[in-house]
Amino acid sequence: MASLFLGARLWDAVNDPIIGSFPDRWSLGKSGDKFKPYIKVAMFPLALSVMLAFYDVSLWSETSKHIWIVAVYVFYGMCYTGTSMPYGSLVAVITDDPVERTKLSRARSFGGLIVGAGFLSAVPQFIFNKEGQVVSENFFYIGILFGVLSLLSYILTLKLTTERVRQKKVETEKFNYSKVLKSVLKNRPLIGVMVATVGSLLYITGNSQLGAYIYKEYYHAPQLLTLVSLSSIPIMFVAFPVIPKLSAKYGKRNLILLSTAVNFVFSLFLLIVPIKDVYLFLLLYTISNVGQTVFIMLIWALVTDTLDYHEYITGERSDGSLFSIYTFSRKIGSTLASTLASMMLGIVGFVSGAAAQTPEVAENIRTLTTAVPVLTTLLQLIGIGLIFNLSKERMDEIQLELKNKRLSTAN
């Protein structure tokens, strides 16, 4: 099953650029909207796929179960791509104002927090009985509930958003995907964002995979994992009103670099200096995570800047294709993190199923868990600091020139 899921996740990464190019290739409906019609098409199969994923197949043969699970997982991944690609690209066409785009990026991160810390944290209350045993059939009912909620969310999205930034399409010009792929090599800011995002996903996924082990095996306090998850909520609430103002004044790139540098310093300290008190470790870890909060809030706005830069250097708008190529890097980052986390645990001597690990293995787990943020924040600094080369002033010039060009084309 591990191999089958790895193959499914890799296919999920590959199909992003394929499905993401659809809005650039073909227009749906008569509204003139580029992305909203694709959300409307894919949202119903997505809701259905969530229900199918938890359909009871316990009485089927082992082979039939494996085929069903992987097939439905692939179907779900493709349906999710069908909605997430146009949804992510909407940022570029809702507004061309840098501050408003920052607010949209921030809103997306905040929405993710609401689901992650709110809805998903409540799920265990419904899938375990009073004896702590899993009630498997409840997964299907939760799948139905979440499928319905997803439909309502997408319907609201379609009703409450307007595609304002439009580019006049030349009917005689045929979409050339290979040309778009080649143009990515010229889009240095996009490459920088992709490198930094791989680092961010390695950081987030690696920490979530390894965090349970350091609190259980090194600190012997697994009950604090809930507190670890909740610690990000106050940071998000504080950052929510502040980030757009700071980014408008100092620039998104500078804000990410500063916060990630602070993240790197704190992470390096936790790696070099073993902290014996679990609550002190949690406090320092929470402070270091401010860097990731800022990164997550602003990265989508930076991606939108790279789409504008692409239009600036090529004269063409291929938001769906470029956005999907970016999300390809996200899928690769999360897949690598999931695979490497299990592999590295084996290398440091972790014994699965053991009641407790030896002190040497526990120390190795501490070193591994604290080393991941150091290496991944360094990758983020390289991506945004050395490769991404759009300053706030340069981006303002590019967006002004694009705005004038669009006005002249419209007239």
Side-chain angles (χ1 to χ4, degrees):
M1 281 306 300
S3 301
L4 290 171
F5 272 114
L6 177 61
R9 292 189 71 171
L10 289 174
W11 166 245
D12 189 31
V14 170
N15 74 50
D16 275 12
I18 298 173
I19 296 177
S21 69
F22 288 177
D24 295 324
R25 294 173 182 268
W26 304 291
S27 298
L28 298 182
K30 300 179 180 179
S31 65
D33 290 333
K34 185 175 183 179
F35 299 111
K36 287 168 63 176
Y38 279 90
I39 295 176
K40 189 181 296 185
V41 168
M43 65 184 189
F44 292 101
L46 175 63
L48 176 63
S49 71
V50 177
M51 301 174 196
L52 294 177
F54 297 105
Y55 182 71
D56 184 8
V57 295
S58 58
L59 298 180
W60 295 13
S61 68
E62 289 300 308
T63 301
S64 300
K65 287 180 188 176
H66 282 69
I67 293 174
W68 172 267
I69 292 168
V70 174
V72 171
Y73 187 77
V74 170
F75 177 57
Y76 159 78
M78 295 185 69
C79 292
Y80 181 74
T81 299
T83 56
S84 65
M85 291 301 100
Y87 167 76
S89 302
L90 273 177
V91 178
V93 296
I94 289 175
T95 178
D96 56 6
D97 181 84
V99 176
E100 295 299 322
R101 285 179 171 179
T102 300
K103 290 180 179 179
L104 286 170
S105 179
R106 175 193 64 176
R108 176 172 183 156
S109 304
F110 195 72
L113 175 68
I114 291 172
V115 174
F119 284 91
L120 294 184
S121 63
V123 169
Q125 304 299 321
F126 299 96
I127 62 173
F128 293 100
N129 59 22
K130 293 180 180 179
E131 289 72 36
Q133 298 173 325
V134 174
V135 184
S136 56
E137 59 266 24
N138 286 358
F139 279 100
F140 180 66
Y141 300 128
I142 292 173
I144 294 174
L145 174 63
F146 275 39
V148 172
L149 288 175
S150 74
L151 284 176
L152 292 175
S153 299
Y154 282 123
I155 290 170
L156 285 172
T157 299
L158 296 173
K159 292 287 185 182
L160 300 176
T161 56
T162 303
E163 294 190 21
R164 299 177 182 85
V165 182
R166 300 175 184 268
Q167 185 183 40
K168 191 174 181 181
K169 189 173 181 180
V170 182
E171 296 297 335
T172 57
E173 186 177 352
K174 188 177 180 181
F175 178 80
N176 189 333
Y177 193 56
S178 63
K179 183 180 177 181
V180 174
L181 291 175
K182 290 177 182 176
S183 70
V184 172
L185 300 177
K186 300 177 183 178
N187 195 329
R188 178 174 165 177
L190 178 58
I191 295 173
V193 166
M194 291 172 69
V195 170
T197 297
V198 170
S200 176
L201 266 294
L202 286 170
Y203 183 108
I204 295 169
T205 309
N207 275 0
S208 65
Q209 297 268 345
L210 298 172
Y213 296 96
I214 189 172
Y215 285 101
K216 181 178 183 296
E217 308 299 344
Y218 186 78
Y219 289 111
H220 307 290
Q223 69 277 7
L224 287 183
L225 283 171
T226 301
L227 188 58
V228 174
S229 301
L230 295 176
S231 64
S232 62
I233 296 178
I235 295 176
M236 186 70 80
F237 273 105
V238 172
F240 192 82
V242 174
I243 293 299
K245 296 178 182 178
L246 291 177
S247 63
K249 185 174 182 179
Y250 300 107
K252 299 183 287 289
R253 178 173 179 263
N254 292 337
L255 202 56
I256 287 178
L257 285 175
L258 177 60
S259 60
T260 306
V262 172
N263 198 161
F264 173 79
V265 171
F266 272 86
S267 300
L268 186 61
F269 177 80
L270 291 175
L271 171 63
I272 297 174
V273 182
I275 306 295
K276 297 301 181 181
D277 185 88
V278 64
Y279 291 100
L280 178 58
F281 176 84
L282 176 58
L283 175 63
L284 295 175
Y285 172 80
T286 301
I287 295 173
S288 72
N289 267 351
V290 172
Q292 291 307 305
T293 300
V294 174
F295 185 91
I296 293 169
M297 278 192 168
L298 292 177
I299 191 60
W300 299 104
L302 276 191
V303 173
T304 309
D305 287 348
T306 67
L307 304 185
D308 286 343
Y309 182 75
H310 174 81
E311 182 183 356
Y312 175 75
I313 61 175
T314 66
E316 298 176 357
R317 195 86 194 180
S318 304
D319 294 344
S321 301
L322 292 174
F323 184 83
S324 62
I325 291 171
Y326 163 72
T327 60
F328 173 81
S329 68
R330 296 181 63 86
K331 298 288 179 65
I332 292 298
S334 61
T335 302
L336 283 175
S338 299
T339 305
L340 291 175
S342 300
M343 185 185 300
M344 293 305 297
L345 280 172
I347 291 174
V348 301
F350 177 81
V351 179
S352 178
Q357 305 298 315
T358 65
E360 293 77 12
V361 172
E363 177 59 33
N364 290 340
I365 290 173
R366 186 205 73 82
T367 302
L368 173 62
T369 305
T370 53
V372 168
V374 174
L375 297 175
T376 52
T377 50
L378 186 60
L379 191 59
Q380 289 175 269
L381 290 170
I382 291 172
I384 301 299
L386 299 181
I387 303 176
F388 187 93
N389 59 344
L390 292 178
S391 65
K392 179 180 182 298
E393 295 73 22
R394 178 59 176 152
M395 201 61 229
D396 288 342
E397 293 174 2
I398 290 173
Q399 287 173 335
L400 179 60
E401 187 168 334
L402 288 176
K403 190 173 184 178
N404 293 333
K405 184 179 179 181
R406 291 169 189 149
L407 285 173
S408 62
T409 303
N411 296 330

